[in-house]
Every structure is written in C-alpha cells, then in structure tokens.
Amino acid sequence: MPKAKYESIYLQIRKDITSGKYEFGDYLPSENEYAERFACTRNTVRRALSILTGEGYLQPRHGRGVQVIYQKEQEKNLFTVGGIESFAETVRRNHRKAETKVLAFREIEADDVISHRTGFEVGARLYYIERLRLMDGIAVIRDTNMYLMSEAPGLTPEIAARSIYRYLEDELHMTITTSRRRVTAEKPTPEDLACMDLSEYPFVLVVSGQVFNSNGVLFEYTQSRHRPDLVCFTETAVRQKL
Amino acid sequence: MPKAKYESIYLQIRKDITSGKYEFGDYLPSENEYAERFACTRNTVRRALSILTGEGYLQPRHGRGVQVIYQKEQEKNLFTVGGIESFAETVRRNHRKAETKVLAFREIEADDVISHRTGFEVGARLYYIERLRLMDGIAVIRDTNMYLMSEAPGLTPEIAARSIYRYLEDELHMTITTSRRRVTAEKPTPEDLACMDLSEYPFVLVVSGQVFNSNGVLFEYTQSRHRPDLVCFTETAVRQKL
DNA sequence: GCCGATTTGTCCGTATGTATC
DNA sequence: CGATACATACGGACAAATCGG
C-alpha cells in the first residue's frame, strides 16, 4: 500500500510504538542503525521520525537519541473530536446504537454570506446537508455540512444517511489532508431546541471546520452542534522545528 | 535571533502570508525561485515550507505550486486556545486590562489520585498553583497548574503572579515542545462559583493538558476553567505526509 | 577536565519521478 | 511534447550535544 519508502518506515516504527515494543521513556535505535536496517539514507529515516515527532509520538534529544513519549490515552468522554474517529465509530466504541436522520439535502449556490463563513467561492455549487445524530434514540449532535459538488459529485441522501466519508474515500478515492476546527460555546438556536433535548443545557458546543483534500481544494465545510455534556475535544501541539 | 537558515526563511514567508502580501488562494513563488532568492538549496526552502504546511498556512499542489490557505480568523471570541498565545497576550490583543490573582501556592507530593489524573509519577515533588485570571476586573479563567519541581525549580508566588512561562524560558532556558490538551464542558464546582461570575452559565469549559519540555520530560499539568462565552478553541490537523 | 566516539541537527548538491499546463 | 513545479531519495559534509573512559 505505501509506495514511498519513508512512509513504510514511518508505519513500521509507529507500529513498534503503539504495539508496546517501545514504551514511554524508551529510546529508539539510532538513526544510523535504522538507516542500515531499512537500507536507506539517514535523511529518509529522519523524515519518517519527523512525522512521528510531529504527531506527538517521539521526542528527539540532541546528542542522546530519540525518546518515545507516546502513552495510551485514557478515554472517558464519549465523543472525541480531534482524532479521526467518525460518529459511528465513537458510538460503537461505547457500545451504543447509532442512527442518523437526514433533515435536509439540497443543492445550493454559495452567496457572499455563505462564502464568507465557509471559505467557498461565491457562486460555487454545493450540496447542503443537515443531519441529526442519534444515540440510543437520543439526539446528541446536529450536523450541517456543505460539500463542493465539483469535488464530491454524486452525493445522495442515502449516502448521507450512511457515511459520506466512506463514499468519498472508497468510491471517489479522495484523501483528506488538512482540516481546521474551531470549538465555541453558543446559545442554542430554535432549530437546536427543536431537534435536541437540551432542557438542562442552555449552551451547545459548536465545532466548525474546513476540510481540504489532497488537491488542496477546500471541499467541505462542517458544523457540528453538540450537547455539551457528551463531547470532548483533544489536541496535540508540537513546536515543530524539525 | 533565528540562527538556522530554514527558520529565518520560515519566518520571512510566514510574515508575507500573515501580513497579507499573499492571500488565501494565491500561489507562492516556486521553490526554485525561493532557493535562488534566499541563496540556498531547494531542500532548505522545502523545509521552511513544510513547517508552514504543517501549521495549516499552505497547501502544496503537485505540479502546480504552493497555495496559501491561511485566512485571517474572524476573531469574535476573546480567548483562542490552541495557538501559543498566553493569557496576557490575548488580553492585550483585545485592548483590555489583565490581572492575575494567585489563590494558592503550595508544594505537594503526587499521590496516586493526582498521578492518575496528571501523568506525574507517584511521589513526585510538585508545585501546586491556583490562579484567577481577571480581565478588566472580571474573573474569566480559573487556572490550576502543577509543575515538576526538579524541572522547574525556584518558582515563587511572585513569579506565578507575573508569567511562569517567561521565567521558564528566560531564566531556566527551558523550551516547550509537545503539549496535549483536552476540552470538556463540566458543571462548575463550588470553587468556580465562588471565584467567577457564572450567574447565567451553568457550565465551565475546562481545558486540561500536559506539557513536555525539550528533554522529553512531562513537567507541567495544567487545567483552565473558562467562562464558556469567552473561549474559542482552534485546531489545525494535517495528515502530515510531507 | 580533556578526548574521542556516538547521535542528532543543519545544509548542500544531485538525480530521478510525477503531475500540471 | 516540452517546460515547469513539486515529490522522493541519495550521499556527503560539518556542527553541536552527550557520554564514557
């Protein structure tokens, strides 16, 4: 699957870390040793290591070696925004029953209001999708998504009810590269109140973001309005001077 | 100040982006042109560009060029967690008056409850600090921090009232590399209610995290409890295969 | 404290592949 | 098809930090 050499090295070392072969605090073999072992130059090893460093797995220490700082997380909250976990996966992990209700599915054109909020160009043709996410029959998330039709053609309400990402990746062979997210607390809108049981929560946590594909095209704008007690947002930040 | 060549190139290009010289959607000069302009190899240019890509500023497009995908954020919320902005900087950016009140300053030892929550080893000697952050006289954040004494010696209440990070960086010459953060919504504790004006907000947004220094040592655990209307949490995730 | 070996950090120059126009 | 631009990889050189003898 991985065609680039640095990528297969990256995958191999990551597996050694997540499988527990190297634990928190351990030092990896030296770059020179890896270079020999993988039959490549030190530069190529360093590239793989730099990705792992950027992902928070490793901490290189000048003159000493490269240390593992990855630890298995202790998950408590239901929804972990920030990872790559989808709604369905999250629900499954918690042994609940997932359901998705499509509230709206339209084709629209971006006007300047939409453009300003989402980053799409004025006049761009978009799919506009509203969905309600239910867990064990309780509405917990209200999603609004917009997809650039030229990049994600062929979307249907049926796909929206199942998994849009599976369609994009498996059918359209699209790969996602950069995404931006913002989390804010907002007062619920009438629509929020109509859809979700927010009786004791006078706020919703709003996660909005843009997603770019590997062509560098902004193709998705997404906004998820969460019941505040169920969401958890995680981040790993690295001073990336490597 | 920047000693490494790639770093000064990084800073220069970033400045060109944030200053608006290049806008969202524009293409940067080619790597070869930059290499000539900065009198270095394409590799060095690529390194600077790769950092900017990892930070969400750029989107390289194979065969075409490198596109700017940075947009000036529409800052509505006061506090942007996720960036590297300190409380004082945020307040200054909003032209407000900052104040920090130290509520507690103790030396403690990590028991197993603390250890489990923070990641410090049992028995580790820690500074325990509680602070209240005031903006224009209004309490908006309640901070609880713990620092590993062996890595951050010499902390005092006076330093805590000013800037701990300035002390760590300037006096102890410590550099921060990796940090992990979690954001959750929680019911306010009696302490929260006593310290902050939360009358209309039955929730606080809790940002907790671990910080590693360049020695790879977990030296800080931090928890900030925010009034929900004032915080904004941003993240840029990149599938970093660059 | 010095020296040499090891290890990571920075940078160069070059070659080749692949996508776009 | 050729020119341009980014992507991958090689190999080498020297600097800087660490560690053991």
Side-chain angles (χ1 to χ4, degrees):
Chain A
M1 172 68 64
K3 38 182 203 277
K5 191 180 284 191
Y6 77 88
E7 194 173 355
S8 65
I9 296 173
Y10 157 82
L11 288 171
Q12 176 61 52
I13 298 178
R14 193 183 68 174
K15 195 176 144 199
D16 288 345
I17 295 168
T18 54
S19 74
K21 178 171 173 181
Y22 302 109
E23 294 186 354
F24 183 91
D26 288 353
Y27 282 91
L28 291 183
S30 78
E31 295 174 355
N32 282 314
E33 176 159 349
Y34 270 134
E36 199 172 344
R37 197 184 296 182
F38 290 114
C40 66
T41 58
R42 195 162 75 92
N43 277 333
T44 305
V45 172
R46 280 179 66 76
R47 180 158 183 189
L49 294 176
S50 87
I51 297 170
L52 290 162
T53 303
E55 293 175 344
Y57 288 98
L58 301 176
Q59 181 70 44
R61 304 176 70 168
H62 197 155
R64 289 201 213 177
V66 179
Q67 199 172 23
V68 176
I69 59 170
Y70 167 86
Q71 323 179 55
K72 280 208 163 44
E73 3 183 351
Q74 59 274 0
E75 299 283 357
K76 282 227 289 272
N77 292 70
L78 247 57
F79 293 99
T80 303
V81 183
I84 329 160
E85 210 175 42
S86 73
F87 173 76
E89 288 165 338
T90 304
V91 172
R92 207 176 304 130
R93 177 165 59 76
N94 288 281
H95 307 291
R96 307 298 179 97
K97 276 201 59 171
E99 200 183 337
T100 300
K101 203 183 287 184
V102 179
L103 302 178
F105 189 100
R106 292 198 294 274
E107 300 183 4
I108 64 170
E109 199 165 287
D111 59 19
D112 53 357
V113 176
I114 291 177
S115 168
H116 186 260
R117 208 181 70 204
T118 63
F120 291 118
E121 284 177 24
V122 174
R125 308 265 308 150
L126 308 171
Y127 291 111
Y128 175 90
I129 303 172
E130 268 186 46
R131 289 181 294 181
L132 197 62
R133 308 292 205 160
L134 305 159
M135 190 186 61
D136 291 348
I138 301 169
V140 290
I141 308 176
R142 197 164 74 88
D143 271 347
T144 301
N145 299 81
M146 296 182 221
Y147 293 90
L148 196 60
M149 286 181 64
S150 59
E151 292 292 319
L155 278 184
T156 65
E158 290 70 36
I159 294 171
R162 292 174 57 252
S163 169
I164 291 178
Y165 265 63
R166 187 161 324 151
Y167 173 74
L168 295 178
E169 289 179 354
D170 293 356
E171 307 292 324
L172 301 184
H173 301 101
M174 182 183 290
T175 51
I176 282 77
T177 50
T178 305
S179 70
R180 282 199 203 112
R181 289 200 186 87
R182 285 163 56 88
V183 182
T184 55
E186 291 183 15
K187 287 196 197 304
T189 65
E191 289 82 9
D192 293 332
L193 293 168
C195 295
M196 293 191 281
D197 176 23
L198 292 168
S199 45
E200 37 180 333
Y201 315 101
F203 276 94
V204 287
L205 280 186
V206 180
V207 182
S208 56
Q210 301 168 309
V211 185
F212 296 80
N213 66 16
S214 56
N215 292 328
V217 178
L218 169 64
F219 79 98
E220 177 185 4
Y221 174 81
T222 167
Q223 188 189 78
S224 297
R225 307 175 73 84
H226 292 255
R227 224 174 76 171
D229 57 331
L230 293 173
V231 70
C232 164
F233 193 70
T234 69
E235 182 208 42
T236 302
V238 179
R239 257 255 179 291
Q240 180 126 359
K241 290 295 149 55
L242 191 75
Chain B
M1 176 62 69
K3 38 182 200 278
K5 191 180 284 192
Y6 77 88
E7 194 172 355
S8 67
I9 296 173
Y10 157 82
L11 288 170
Q12 176 62 53
I13 299 177
R14 191 183 67 175
K15 194 176 145 199
D16 287 345
I17 296 169
T18 54
S19 74
K21 177 169 174 181
Y22 302 110
E23 294 185 355
F24 182 91
D26 288 352
Y27 283 91
L28 290 183
S30 77
E31 297 176 349
N32 281 315
E33 175 157 350
Y34 270 133
E36 199 171 343
R37 195 183 298 183
F38 290 114
C40 66
T41 58
R42 203 162 72 89
N43 277 334
T44 305
V45 172
R46 280 179 64 75
R47 181 158 181 188
L49 294 176
S50 86
I51 296 171
L52 289 162
T53 304
E55 293 175 344
Y57 288 98
L58 302 175
Q59 181 70 43
R61 304 180 70 167
H62 199 146
R64 289 201 214 177
V66 178
Q67 200 172 22
V68 176
I69 58 172
Y70 167 87
Q71 317 183 59
K72 278 218 161 43
E73 337 184 12
Q74 51 278 3
E75 299 283 358
K76 282 214 295 251
N77 297 72
L78 251 59
F79 292 99
T80 303
V81 184
I84 327 159
E85 211 174 41
S86 73
F87 172 75
E89 288 166 338
T90 304
V91 172
R92 206 175 307 130
R93 178 166 57 76
N94 288 281
H95 308 290
R96 307 298 180 97
K97 276 200 57 169
E99 199 183 337
T100 300
K101 203 183 287 185
V102 179
L103 302 179
F105 189 98
R106 291 198 295 275
E107 301 183 4
I108 64 170
E109 199 166 286
D111 59 21
D112 54 356
V113 175
I114 292 177
S115 167
H116 185 261
R117 207 181 70 205
T118 63
F120 290 118
E121 285 178 22
V122 174
R125 306 267 307 149
L126 307 171
Y127 291 110
Y128 174 91
I129 303 172
E130 269 184 43
R131 289 181 293 182
L132 197 62
R133 310 291 206 160
L134 305 161
M135 192 186 59
D136 290 347
I138 301 168
V140 291
I141 308 176
R142 198 165 73 87
D143 271 347
T144 302
N145 299 83
M146 296 182 221
Y147 293 91
L148 196 59
M149 286 181 64
S150 59
E151 292 292 319
L155 279 183
T156 65
E158 290 69 37
I159 295 171
R162 293 174 56 251
S163 169
I164 291 179
Y165 265 63
R166 186 159 327 149
Y167 173 74
L168 295 178
E169 290 179 353
D170 293 356
E171 306 291 324
L172 300 184
H173 301 100
M174 183 184 288
T175 50
I176 282 76
T177 49
T178 305
S179 69
R180 299 204 185 102
R181 287 203 188 84
R182 288 162 56 88
V183 182
T184 55
E186 292 183 15
K187 285 196 198 306
T189 64
E191 289 82 9
D192 292 332
L193 293 168
C195 296
M196 294 191 278
D197 177 23
L198 293 168
S199 45
E200 38 181 332
Y201 316 101
F203 276 94
V204 287
L205 279 186
V206 180
V207 181
S208 56
Q210 301 168 308
V211 185
F212 295 80
N213 66 16
S214 58
N215 292 329
V217 178
L218 168 64
F219 78 98
E220 178 185 4
Y221 173 82
T222 167
Q223 188 188 77
S224 298
R225 308 174 74 84
H226 293 252
R227 225 174 75 172
D229 58 330
L230 293 174
V231 69
C232 165
F233 193 71
T234 69
E235 181 208 42
T236 303
V238 179
R239 261 254 177 292
Q240 181 121 1
K241 291 296 150 54
L242 188 76

